[in-house]
Amino acid sequence: MPWLTTAQTEELTGHYVRRRLDATRQSILDTARRADELRQEYESRYADLRRALLRRHAAGACAVLACAAGAGSLAAGVLTR
């Protein structure tokens, strides 16, 4: 802007730089906040999935043990006849 004086140009430039720095700082803070929110959401979901998987494995192990016990009982009954 050639019609501005040197002092006006410096003032305008300083104002622009301050505004850009503020906007950039706010953008970085918003990004960091959102990243923290996402991390918490993913950690919560991961913990839920781990608990569900553990329950399924425990149920499967119980079923296998029950079948083994039942098969053992049947085998013992057949052998005693």
Side-chain angles (χ1 to χ4, degrees):
M1 296 180 230
W3 62 87
L4 296 176
T5 65
T6 303
Q8 290 173 328
T9 302
E10 289 174 1
E11 182 182 345
L12 186 61
T13 302
H15 177 72
Y16 174 78
V17 168
R18 283 190 301 278
R19 294 287 305 260
R20 287 303 311 153
L21 285 174
D22 289 343
T24 302
R25 185 176 296 113
Q26 188 60 49
S27 176
I28 290 170
L29 290 173
D30 290 344
T31 301
R33 178 188 50 77
R34 182 64 180 139
D36 188 47
E37 289 173 1
L38 286 173
R39 181 183 54 77
Q40 290 174 2
E41 289 175 24
Y42 284 123
E43 285 178 356
S44 174
R45 180 69 178 139
Y46 181 72
D48 291 344
L49 290 172
R50 282 184 56 171
R51 280 190 293 276
L53 184 62
L54 179 61
R55 282 193 303 270
R56 288 183 184 129
H57 277 85
C62 288
V64 167
L65 288 174
C67 288
S73 294
L74 287 175
V78 169
L79 292 176
T80 58
R81 287 187 193 185

